[in-house]
Amino acid sequence: MVSPAIALALLPLLLTLIIRYRYFFVLLYRAVLIRWVRDCLTGLSREERAYQYILTHATPGDSQSILDTFDQWCSKVEFISNIGPKKGKILDRLLLEHCPITVLELGTHCGYSTVRIARSLPIGARIYSVEMDERNAGVAEKVIRLAGFDEDMVELIVRPSDEVIPRLREDFGVEHLDFVFMDHWKRCYLPDLQLLEGSGLLGEGSIILADNVIFPGAPNFLRHARRSGLYEVRVHRATLEYIRGIRDGMAELTFLGIK
């Protein structure tokens, strides 16, 4: 048992830690505790609950309405680690600047970023979106189609990314990638980037945008990108989606070509 005197002495330290890391406690509460309770009560996944909310509150065929409704749900109901509206503007700007025709998305999750990408692409563009979780992919498929994007524009691939990347040319006829968006498991960022380098699908000027490189973080990915000499690297500073006070960032890599 801790004596009252020791407990009293430790109280200032405890309060300091709570204040300093309060946003992380909020994240733990919203992303873990609330999710667990509602999973048990509803029998639905968090992503399925989000889709039900979108279905009843958003306008079908209106991508902006669907994104706004998603943002409202993630901000006020339950936390989901979509790219969100603030970092989403960085993605929007890069897509408008580069007008990619062939896009690879690693980590569809529930379709938020897929819709955000699709609405900014020129006519004739195509997205290959990769999601390994079948249940999440089922939700994403419904969200993407609800937004009005068909299979000719968005092809959802339900397989692990390390199986898909080496087969993009053979299985899907992809010859070149103009834009890659990474928002899947952070531990996969570096090995998947190296698979892309070896695939021959990246060309000079190809853009790779990776989310959450500060939190949870992808230090090995950033280290490789900066030291390899293959990329021009820029990190866009931001905060974690839907949680203020937690620093995060997106890495923009411009492929310079194999030397």
Side-chain angles (χ1 to χ4, degrees), residues 177-233:
L177 291 171
D178 302 304
F179 196 99
V180 179
F181 179 58
M182 291 184 169
D183 195 12
H184 55 328
W185 291 106
K186 311 316 161 194
R187 66 174 180 267
C188 297
Y189 278 19
L190 177 56
D192 282 353
L193 181 64
Q194 293 172 326
L195 283 174
L196 287 167
E197 292 167 1
S199 70
L201 297 176
L202 298 178
E204 185 175 350
S206 293
I207 301 295
I208 299 163
L209 184 66
D211 193 17
N212 304 126
V213 296
I214 304 301
F215 182 86
N220 293 334
F221 169 84
L222 285 176
R223 188 178 303 113
H224 171 79
R226 286 168 170 155
R227 294 181 179 179
S228 66
L230 298 175
Y231 306 96
E232 178 184 317
V233 181

Side-chain angles (χ1 to χ4, degrees), residues 32 41-42:
V32 179
L41 291 176
T42 66

Side-chain angles (χ1 to χ4, degrees), residues 164-176 199-201:
V164 174
I165 293 171
R167 302 290 305 176
L168 279 171
R169 181 176 280 109
E170 291 79 3
D171 292 352
F172 301 97
V174 177
E175 295 295 332
H176 175 79
S199 70
L201 297 176

